[in-house]
Amino acid sequence: MSEPKIAIKPESGETTVTDALGRRLTLRKPGRVRSFKFFEALGAQASVNPMCVQMFQFALFLTAIDGKPVEPCHTLIDMEALADVLGDEGCGAIDRAAQEAWGQSQEEALTAAIKKWRAMLDSGKPPGS
């Protein structure tokens, strides 16, 4: 498998990576609301399963494939379908690109998202407030 080609555009907050299959994947570091929606889409059982969370964390970053917008996943079934489209090549490229662009792996970004999510739940404030 060839190494992904990563183009970082810090001024826009986006990163583009070309995976081993030649697809251009556009990524954005997840904000509070997107992180919250990620856990909401996973559902109660899957969001407490570390293996499941790790398998689908690519969905936190991906915003477009070959310039075509990818809507955030609303259900676990959406995430499974997107994982099938991306395959190991796309998911692996996303992990490496996130680490290079933002100095953290998907796991570290996910840990940060979990902390934000728990703080938001503890505060009783709705997402984005």
Side-chain angles (χ1 to χ4, degrees):
M1 182 177 352
S2 64
E3 284 297 309
K5 296 176 185 162
I6 303 168
I8 301 171
K9 297 186 250 178
E11 66 281 354
S12 71
E14 288 187 348
T15 295
T16 302
V17 60
T18 303
D19 72 5
L21 299 177
R23 297 174 295 188
R24 281 184 0 262
L25 308 173
T26 304
L27 315 176
R28 181 177 290 275
K29 189 173 181 179
R32 250 181 123 104
V33 173
R34 188 169 180 112
S35 297
F36 178 80
K37 294 289 186 182
F38 169 78
F39 288 104
E40 190 175 57
L42 274 176
Q45 285 185 320
S47 65
V48 296
N49 180 334
M51 181 195 274
C52 189
V53 171
Q54 186 174 7
M55 287 183 68
F56 294 106
Q57 61 194 354
F58 66 86
L60 277 169
F61 296 97
L62 185 66
T63 60
I65 299 174
D66 290 329
K68 296 177 185 166
V70 173
E71 293 297 319
C73 296
H74 298 288
T75 66
L76 183 56
I77 293 170
D78 293 343
M79 290 184 195
E80 291 169 350
L82 187 54
D84 283 343
V85 169
L86 290 171
D88 290 338
E89 297 86 359
C91 292
I94 290 170
D95 187 37
R96 288 186 291 280
Q99 187 167 6
E100 185 172 320
W102 299 296
Q104 60 185 6
S105 67
Q106 285 188 20
E107 185 174 347
E108 291 165 329
L110 188 60
T111 300
I114 290 170
K115 287 179 184 177
K116 287 179 189 177
W117 180 63
R118 286 185 179 150
M120 191 170 17
L121 291 177
D122 290 345
S123 73
K125 293 180 182 176
S129 62

